[in-house]
Amino acid sequence: MGPAPASTSMPHPCCPLPFSRRQLIVQVDFGNPVVWHFMRAERITADPGFAPLLCTQALTALHHNLLRSAVLTMIAFGAIDTGAWPVESVVGATTILAVVPYVVLSLSAGRWTDRWSRAGVIRLCKLAEVAIAGIAAVGLLSGNLAMLLAAVLVCGVEAAVLGPAKFAILPELVAAKRLVAANSWVTATSTIAILLGLVLGNVLAAISSGPGLLSILGVTLALAGVGLSRAIPDAEAPQAGLASSAWSDAARILTEVARQPPVLLAILGCSWFWFQGAFNTTAIPLLIAAMGEGEVAVSIVFLVSSICVAAGAMVARLVQGKLSHPAVPAAVALMTVLPATDIGFLSAAHSYSRLLIDIALMSTASGLYIVPVGLAMQVLPPAADRGRYIGINHVFNGLAMLLAGACVAGLGVLSMRPDSAIGSIGVMSACVAIITLPTLLPSLTAFRTRSATADLAA
């Protein structure tokens, strides 16, 4: 069969197709070509609804971490009276308040996401964030610990409800060929927003006019988020209702997850990502203190880590056409296990520069890893159940973060050094990458092939 006529608007899928520099021919079905339209540089304006979603979720991450960082700093340095409660207990309670809503509410949040308009759920969350900013402002200006803890708790509630909605709506707003890039942008912008929030919260909490500036900034971020969320289109009509009860529905989804190894591995991968991140965030300051370094050294490590996670996510965008290559799991594993092994001996070496290099490599590997794993949770479940699958995933993510805190607390009981613990977690991270990626990446490639074929047939 010869090439399609030049005047044909949609070439036959079995015919050789002309392609430009921005297209890649992938051989499938014993040589029948499918055209993939890859842009050299992914533009977030290519899908009109994506840019407002990207900015909205980044502002939420910035606001939440700004508030939590400021509250923790003010508590730690005595700017807020904790009364009869020890400072350490209040700091620990703040962390628990931020994480527990993920465990308690994510399942229901996923159900709401599948029942109502996902864009509507996001807008409702952003309206609630204005009220959160108001509560926080009153607490900051009055130095009221109870109000600030309440604001941190409600921030956790908002994040738990927003999470399933923002990830479930992504495949509806973004073309399949740009989903890897979209997830890369979400991961990168979230990480940078978290970093910026932590830094700004620390800095503003330390100055005399900090409470006022934090209040103004928090309300401004919340209002900006409300405006941006209104630009997110209603990509899917809300469902009329869900027939089963919440618990029977959850049991059904869990049963289905158990029958789908790629989805099960995606949940394992996401949960492990959050476990090792929470563990390292808590244990690294202990390691740096044991090496004789100060608080500034801790901040630098966290700065390097955040930037490298974002960089790793963007690497996933750049190599999206080759993510299914067998070398990707090996590269992620090596970038994790080698520096993790080195960290295991750092207490004796007292080499802060080596620690920075090790953390940079491990963080880059984490950023590269989480993009395809997070994408799997969006595209592998059935579209009608996507929010509930993501909600169940977030429940396990929250449990993983709580378990990480318990593990760090148990280091003293086990008489285990922080460097040995961080090194062991890194080696296990490499094992998780080797277990999950070889199954997930071919599944994602199959999804992209089906999507491309459907686009050509449309």
Side-chain angles (χ1 to χ4, degrees), residues 199-451:
V199 173
L200 277 177
N202 279 324
V203 171
L204 294 179
I207 61 178
S208 58
S209 58
L213 293 175
L214 286 165
S215 300
I216 294 171
L217 184 55
V219 172
T220 302
L221 291 173
L223 291 173
V226 170
L228 286 167
S229 68
R230 295 181 67 83
I232 301 173
D234 289 298
E236 182 178 281
Q239 299 183 27
L242 302 175
S244 58
S245 67
W247 290 110
S248 60
D249 198 29
R252 177 182 67 83
I253 297 294
L254 284 171
T255 302
E256 292 178 2
V257 167
R259 295 172 180 168
Q260 302 175 67
V263 178
L264 190 61
L265 289 175
I267 292 176
L268 169 64
C270 287
S271 298
W272 183 261
F273 172 83
W274 288 106
F275 172 85
Q276 59 88 27
F279 185 94
N280 289 339
T281 299
T282 309
I284 283 175
L286 301 177
L287 171 59
I288 292 176
M291 294 172 64
E293 302 289 341
E295 293 84 351
V296 175
V298 176
S299 299
I300 293 174
V301 166
F302 287 154
L303 173 65
V304 169
S305 176
S306 299
I307 292 173
C308 288
V309 169
M314 299 313 291
V315 168
R317 178 186 72 85
L318 294 175
V319 301
Q320 58 180 298
K322 300 179 181 179
L323 278 178
S324 60
H325 195 281
V328 173
V332 172
L334 285 175
M335 289 174 64
T336 304
V337 72
L338 294 179
T341 303
D342 185 56
I343 287 177
F345 302 97
L346 279 183
S347 281
H350 290 276
S351 176
Y352 179 69
S353 59
R354 273 171 56 188
L355 175 64
L356 281 177
I357 295 173
D358 292 338
I359 293 297
L361 288 172
M362 292 173 65
S363 300
T364 303
S366 293
L368 174 59
Y369 174 78
I370 195 58
V371 169
V373 173
L375 175 62
M377 286 306 306
Q378 297 165 22
V379 302
L380 297 183
D385 297 332
R386 187 183 299 133
R388 281 165 287 177
Y389 274 74
I390 294 174
I392 286 176
N393 175 47
H394 285 186
V395 170
F396 285 105
N397 296 170
L399 289 172
M401 287 187 280
L402 292 176
L403 178 61
C407 288
V408 174
L411 291 180
V413 177
L414 298 174
S415 300
M416 191 173 189
R417 300 196 319 268
D419 56 345
S420 299
I422 295 171
S424 300
I425 293 296
V427 172
M428 286 188 278
S429 296
C431 294
V432 170
I434 291 296
I435 292 170
T436 56
L437 289 180
T439 299
L440 288 177
L441 295 180
S443 298
L444 294 177
T445 301
F447 162 78
R448 298 178 71 186
T449 302
R450 290 194 304 270
S451 300

Side-chain angles (χ1 to χ4, degrees), residues 151-244:
V152 171
L153 173 63
V154 185
C155 278
V157 170
E158 183 199 359
V161 176
L162 180 64
K166 76 175 184 180
F167 286 116
I169 201 174
L170 259 182
E172 299 161 12
L173 298 180
V174 179
K177 62 192 174 188
R178 287 189 287 274
L179 268 177
V180 172
N183 278 272
S184 299
W185 279 109
V186 169
T187 300
T189 54
S190 295
T191 303
I192 297 302
I194 289 170
L195 173 63
L196 185 59
L198 292 174
V199 173
L200 277 177
N202 279 324
V203 171
L204 294 179
I207 61 178
S208 58
S209 58
L213 293 175
L214 286 165
S215 300
I216 294 171
L217 184 55
V219 172
T220 302
L221 291 173
L223 291 173
V226 170
L228 286 167
S229 68
R230 295 181 67 83
I232 301 173
D234 289 298
E236 182 178 281
Q239 299 183 27
L242 302 175
S244 58

